[in-house]
Each structure stands twice: as C-alpha cells, then as structure tokens.
Amino acid sequence: MAIVFEKPKSLTDVPYHYCPGCTHGIVHRLVAEAIDALGIEGRTVGIAPVGCSVMAYDYFKCDMIEASHGRAPAVATGVKRSMPDSIVFTYQGDGDLASIGLCETVSTACRGENITIIFINNAIYGMTGGQMAPTSLIGQVTQTSPYGRDPKTQGMPIRICELLATLDAPAYLERVAVNSVAHVRQAKKAILKAFKNQVEGKGFSLVEVVSTCPTNWGLTPDKACQFVEEKMIPFYPLGCYKDKE
Amino acid sequence: MSSKVLMKGNEAIAEAAIRCGCRHYFGYPITPQTEIAAYMSKRMPKIGGTFLQAESEIAAINMVYGCAATGRRAMTSSSSPGISLKAEGISYLAGADLPALIVNVQRGGPGLGGIQPSQSDYFFMTRGPGHGDFHIIVLAPATVQEMADMTRLAFELGEKYRMPAMLLADGTMGQMMEPVVLPEDTVDPETIPATKPWATTGTQMKRAHNIVNSLYLKPDELEKTNFERFERYAKLEKEECRWEEYLMDDAEVCVVSVGITARVAKNAIAAARKEGVKVGMIRPITLYPFPKEPIAKAASKVKSFLTVELNMGQMNEDVKLAIGCSKPVAMCNRVGGMIPSADEVLAAIRKEAK
Amino acid sequence: MAKLTFKEELCKGCGLCVTACPKKILAISKTKLNHKGHAPVELTKPEECVGCASCALMCPDCVITVER
C-alpha cells in the first residue's frame, strides 16, 4: 500500500485554532501542497493578515511576516523587491483585502508585482465576531447589518476578481470554492497555478476562494457549505477571470 | 570616493543613504521633502536599487516593513501629515524590532497646516510615533552635513538596537543648500542581511523558520517583550546620547534648540555675548535619547533655560523634566512656518539674563 | 484495499468528511470525546473504504492519512 494522501510537509505540527468546519484549514493545506509540489519552501516568505488567520505564521514552515490590517500586498512588495528570487505570498480575508486594504490590493495588482495572493472570501468579518464585510450579500444579517445588508445605506457587495480583471497588469485571476470535493480539487489546481506563475515570473496572480464561516453565519459546517453553493456562488461565479498564458 | 559638493539637504540624505548601503526607497510626494523621492527615482535604477512611489504613505511604510524584515536597509521619507499616516506602520516596525530609516521633514500643522517649516512633531516623534509603549531613535540635524552624517548613524544605531530610527528635520534643513562632504561608498548592501539571523530571507531548508511579528496574545508574553525592549532602550539612553555644547563653560543662561532655530540662536548668542550676556547653548543631536545629563548638569550652574522652538512648547517640557523643574525654562517660539529672527531670540535671551 | 489513519486528537467533529464520503462509512462518534472535548470521526465500515480520499480532501485539520 502507498500513501495517496497525507499532510503536506510545509505545514507545521501546530494544531489549528480555527473553528470546527472552517475552510481556512483546507486552503492552508492547498497552499502548502503547492509549495511542496514546486519545491519552493526554502525560498518562500508568507505574509499573514489581520483576521482569523492572523496566526498563519505558526502553521507554515516557511519564513513568515505578520502584516498590519490590509497592508499585506505592500509588505509583500517590500519583500519581493528586496529578494526578487524569493516566492512571496499573502493570505488575506475579505476585510483585509477588500475593505481597509482595497487600495493596496488594486495598486499592487496595477503594478503587476510578481506575487501570489490567496483571498479568502467568506462574506463576513470572522475574528472580530461577525460584522459585515464588503463581500457580505444583500440582506445578509451580520452584527453590523442586523436588519440585513441594505444597499441604500450599506452599499453593494464587491466582486474582486471582476474588479481586478479590468486592469492590464494582472496575469491570473481565478475564483474557486472549497465547499465540496469537486470544488476543492479545482481550487487546488488554481492555487498551484498561482504559485507556478510566480516561479515562472508571469506576474500578479490572485485566487479568490469562496469560503465558509460556520460560526458567524450561524450554520453547521455542512449547512455552511450548502450556503456557499446556493447563495454565494450565484453572486460570486466561479471561474477564471484573467489568464495571460 | 569622498567628495565635497553643494547639495540640498533633502538630496544629501538620499545620497548618504545610498552610500551606506541602502538600496530600497519607498516614498510618496509631499512638500517639503519630495526632492528625496525625486532624487531616489533617478539614482536607484542606475545602481540596481528599488525606487517605488507607493500608493500612499501607509503603503510606503508597509513596504519598508517588508523590506526591513528581509534584513535590507530600507527607508522612507515624508512630512508631518504623511508621518501621521505612517504611525501604525512605525508601531509595527518597533513591535517587530525592525531597524529602518524614516525621514520626517516637518511642516506646519495641525491638519493640512502649511508647507513652511516647523518642529511641531517633537512630542509625536520622541514619545513614540504610534500606539503602544515604544521609542524610535530620533536624530535632529542642523546642517546639510549633519543631514548626510546622521543618515548613516540612523541605520547603524537602528541595527545595533533593533529599532526604527528617524531623521527629524525641519523644513528649512530639507530645502537649504550647503557644501557637504559625502562619505565614501563603503558599505556593500549584499553583506547586510547576513548580519541579521532573525531576518525572513527564506529558510533555504537549512534552519527553522523566522517569524517577523508583533502579535503576542498571551499577556505575560507581551509584557515580557515590552520589558525586554525597554532594557534595550535603557542601554541606548545610557550610551548613545549626542549633543553639542556652545559657550557653556561660564553660561548663566542656557539655550536649548535644534535645527534652524539652533542656527538662529547661535547668531543671537554671539550678539548677546558682545553685550556681555553670559549665554550658551546645548544643542541636542539625539532627541531620543534626550541628552538629559548635560542639561541637568547645566541646571546647577545657570539661572535659567530658554528653548527656541517652532512649536507651542514641546522640547520645553523635556528640559523641565531633565532638570526636575529646578530652574525656570522659558521659551521663544514661532509657529505656522514663521521662524524667529536673531533679534527676537536676542530679546528673549536678554529677558532671561536679567 | 485502502487504509485510513486518523489523528483523533486533531479532529473537531465538524462532519465535513462524513458528508464528503461517497460510501457513507464515516460518522461522528456518539461515545467518544477527544482531549479537546470534540467527538471525533470514526470509520464505521473499514472494509468498504476504496481510498478515494474525499474525506481527507475536505478535512480542514489534516486528520486523515489515506493509503491504498
């Protein structure tokens, strides 16, 4: 018998602090699998965000830097310009990337920095206890939209892949999900490609991962996966939004 | 090679930074320091360095943070309102114990203020320009030569004590042109990261991973890092204070001033001496660590102190603290971009001498 | 022929693997608790496992190792 599935080598043995059924764990693994597959752990520097994954620096074996809220792409730029041969990735939630850090996200994409961004879109601010995110859906009840998100006063949700696709510089933008086995397989391919692009110097690559937050959505992990299928994906269609071959 | 040239203060900082191995500049235009960015935009590409005009001062300080984490000499520059934006980033640099150079060429405030010189960020910079208990090294140049010399000192001290360092200049220092002897180009930037075993240069699969971070959720751990950091600050305060004394041997009035006001004060002191007034000056070169010792020593000999400042009374408080409020500490100040004339300072000196 | 190994102490009983298993041979224990207080997953019919690794793919906590 041969091992057909095991924990990737570039993950540490520190147990995750994430809630039961939180899909951060799946995405961390996919990132680590990409790092292992490309043999780049020794020259990778990861940038952790502010959010539930703030302690991602404990979970990856590569060198890690903790960034201030929203500024990971700027920190990544500083690292990549200092060490162009390194592989630099950021791992950011929807508040980090699409609210406070929106300027850094767009500007870094505009500059076409040769980095990889993993964007966790779970339509909520998890770490701070479930407030509305820029990607929260219309009518979604959160701590700061207790009557449901009202577009009149709270605006419309933002679609990051579509937004960044209007820019000339990005090389690869894909939206995936991790709410089913089939989707996890596609997400794995996309994340690997986003890292491979950087190795090959192809330019700015971002994978938006539609994810769950069972705790703050008030749903079981299973029902949260269903919510992604029935409510999130129709608004955030999966697929490739830019691919400069 | 060493050379004497006529240079603008802002440009002297930029050239001096390059000559001590800085190859990464991240900045944003703001008057009166934009010349630093403009100079770097021309020089850096020619030597394989990084010049990046960031999307904001916030992005720039975070780029510095990333670059500094990899062990390189990184710098940014701005002026007062832009420094306000950088406050969080500076706190992160300090909390992660990262050396980096931040230049603040001060302008009038608060708010959008004006574009003329001021020294009104003194409290902000010397108390710790950001949230939390921390300090950055603060150097106050008064000549274009010092703008150049202090750039190297800022990098060296910052690396020795693992903390950010600032060149705190007033707008005049940035804009004036004076002859400056630039240091020789002796530092090989490639050698610098290896001197920092904590840097995130990539494990190369040869060591455990390095983490650059300031988050410590367990209060006892966070407390420990704070105390350890302040032990380093205590050593810095003991060993790295720098100041200049001018005619202090028989002084009965002690002027304390930095930057352009120190230069004006020197003229006023010369005129006062001609009138027989026994006045001297202690000019701090390090504002953090503040030269408390020479000022406290002077308190046992002089009748009073006089700070000459471009703010509403900031360094004045540090002098009072240094002498335990044992003697009067008067002030001659202008704000908004106004600079006191030598006559104004002379009048203030005469008042104290009575 | 397939073999699953579970790191029980890491399991949070989230049930994503239970839903993912095409053979429906995983279930959250009704009798056991791990040291964190979670009821871990159990393989109810090991002989029916085909080693597709769907469970391991969905597990956020790297609990499951699959051999085939």
Side-chain angles (χ1 to χ4, degrees), chain A residues 1-8 11 15-26 29 178-181 184-185 188 221-222 225, chain C residues 1-3 7 10 12-16 18-20 36 38 51-62 64-68:
Chain A
M1 281 215 275
I3 292 179
V4 294
F5 188 101
E6 62 178 342
K7 188 176 122 178
L11 286 179
Y16 296 145
H17 70 284
Y18 302 120
C19 295
C22 169
T23 52
H24 266 313
I26 301 177
R29 192 194 71 232
V178 285
N179 65 320
S180 68
V181 173
V184 168
R185 287 207 168 96
K188 181 183 162 92
D222 268 340
C225 287
Chain C
M1 253 263 68
K3 179 173 165 221
K7 287 206 186 102
L10 295 178
K12 291 171 181 160
C14 73
L16 289 180
V18 173
T19 309
K36 289 251 166 159
H38 294 295
C52 71
S54 297
C55 55
L57 273 166
M58 283 308 291
C59 175
D61 294 279
C62 298
I64 308 171
T65 303
V66 183
E67 291 169 87
R68 205 167 56 215

Side-chain angles (χ1 to χ4, degrees), chain A residues 12 41-45 50 54-55 57-69 71 74-75 77-79 81-83 103-105 107-108 111 113, chain B residues 24 26 50-56 58-59 62-63 65-67 69-70 72 88 92 199-205 207-215 217:
Chain A
T12 67
E41 184 193 312
R43 59 184 173 113
T44 296
V45 180
V50 169
V54 67
M55 292 180 290
Y57 49 74
D58 277 341
Y59 304 139
F60 290 99
K61 277 196 187 142
C62 57
D63 278 350
M64 296 290 293
I65 302 174
E66 174 58 50
S68 49
H69 202 20
R71 318 300 173 195
V75 176
T77 299
V79 176
R81 295 298 185 108
S82 308
M83 305 190 302
C103 175
E104 278 76 8
T105 302
S107 299
T108 306
R111 284 195 304 270
E113 298 289 340
Chain B
H24 303 281
F26 308 95
T50 303
F51 163 78
L52 211 167
Q53 181 177 308
E55 51 270 35
S56 71
I58 297 177
N62 281 281
M63 290 172 188
Y65 177 84
C67 180
T70 69
R72 272 77 178 165
E88 184 199 43
Y92 271 64
T200 51
T201 49
T203 64
Q204 313 306 326
M205 307 306 280
R207 57 164 171 78
H209 69 172
N210 284 339
I211 299 173
V212 167
N213 175 42
S214 54
L215 176 72
L217 287 176

Side-chain angles (χ1 to χ4, degrees), chain B residues 334-352:
Chain B
R334 300 297 301 266
V335 291
M338 301 300 290
I339 297 179
S341 64
D343 281 340
E344 281 175 67
V345 180
L346 179 57
I349 291 172
R350 283 192 196 118
K351 199 159 160 234
E352 288 318 298

Side-chain angles (χ1 to χ4, degrees), chain C residues 2-31:
Chain C
K3 179 173 165 221
L4 299 186
T5 319
F6 295 85
K7 287 206 186 102
E8 228 176 59
E9 69 279 11
L10 295 178
C11 181
K12 291 171 181 160
C14 73
L16 289 180
C17 58
V18 173
T19 309
C21 176
K23 299 290 230 166
K24 300 294 160 214
I25 55 176
L26 289 168
I28 301 300
S29 173
K30 290 199 160 63
T31 52

Side-chain angles (χ1 to χ4, degrees), chain B residues 124-142:
Chain B
F124 188 16
M125 300 301 109
T126 58
R127 267 49 182 164
H131 63 282
D133 285 305
F134 75 95
H135 282 287
I136 63 173
I137 294 161
V138 182
L139 303 171

Side-chain angles (χ1 to χ4, degrees), chain A residues 8-9 35 45 68 77-78 100 108-109 120 147 168 180 197 208 210:
Chain A
K9 295 198 167 37
I35 291 172
V45 180
S68 49
T77 299
I100 185 169
T108 306
I120 304 298
Y147 313 114
D168 290 327
S180 68
N197 277 0
E208 176 177 345
V210 183

Side-chain angles (χ1 to χ4, degrees), chain A:
Chain A
M1 281 215 275
I3 292 179
V4 294
F5 188 101
E6 62 178 342
K7 188 176 122 178
K9 295 198 167 37
S10 49
L11 286 179
T12 67
D13 288 329
V14 179
Y16 296 145
H17 70 284
Y18 302 120
C19 295
C22 169
T23 52
H24 266 313
I26 301 177
V27 189
H28 281 22
R29 192 194 71 232
L30 298 180
V31 169
E33 284 171 356
I35 291 172
D36 281 3
L38 296 167
I40 52 176
E41 184 193 312
R43 59 184 173 113
T44 296
V45 180
I47 321 284
V50 169
C52 284
S53 53
V54 67
M55 292 180 290
Y57 49 74
D58 277 341
Y59 304 139
F60 290 99
K61 277 196 187 142
C62 57
D63 278 350
M64 296 290 293
I65 302 174
E66 174 58 50
S68 49
H69 202 20
R71 318 300 173 195
V75 176
T77 299
V79 176
K80 188 77 185 191
R81 295 298 185 108
S82 308
M83 305 190 302
D85 293 334
S86 62
I87 301 299
V88 185
F89 75 93
T90 77
Y91 184 103
Q92 306 174 251
D94 37 46
D96 205 85
L97 186 141
S99 184
I100 185 169
L102 191 59
C103 175
E104 278 76 8
T105 302
V106 174
S107 299
T108 306
C110 236
R111 284 195 304 270
E113 298 289 340
N114 187 26
I115 62 170
T116 302
I117 292 189
I118 307 298
F119 167 38
I120 304 298
N121 174 4
N122 60 12
I124 202 140
Y125 283 14
M127 186 185 74
T128 42
Q131 296 79 33
M132 193 185 87
T135 49
S136 294
L137 301 175
I138 302 294
Q140 188 176 338
V141 172
T142 70
Q143 195 190 65
T144 49
S145 60
Y147 313 114
R149 180 175 191 156
D150 177 2
K152 274 204 233 75
T153 54
Q154 297 173 305
M156 293 289 291
I158 191 168
R159 294 187 178 99
I160 287 295
C161 274
E162 289 85 335
L163 182 83
L164 297 181
T166 66
L167 303 172
D168 290 327
Y172 175 57
L173 305 165
E174 180 154 353
R175 181 181 290 124
V176 298
V178 285
N179 65 320
S180 68
V181 173
H183 283 163
V184 168
R185 287 207 168 96
Q186 179 53 34
K188 181 183 162 92
K189 283 200 192 105
I191 290 173
L192 177 64
K193 182 170 175 158
F195 276 91
K196 194 155 181 274
N197 277 0
Q198 191 180 160
V199 171
E200 293 170 359
K202 286 212 172 114
F204 182 90
S205 300
L206 179 145
V207 179
E208 176 177 345
V209 187
V210 183
S211 305
T212 66
C213 181
T215 301
N216 289 301
W217 288 355
L219 299 172
T220 64
D222 268 340
K223 289 256 174 345
C225 287
Q226 280 173 38
F227 183 86
V228 167
E229 197 67 40
E230 291 160 15
K231 300 280 195 245
M232 296 273 284
I233 290 175
F235 191 84
Y236 297 109
L238 305 186
C240 185
Y241 287 83
K242 194 167 240 207
D243 193 358
K244 283 185 187 169
E245 272 304 334

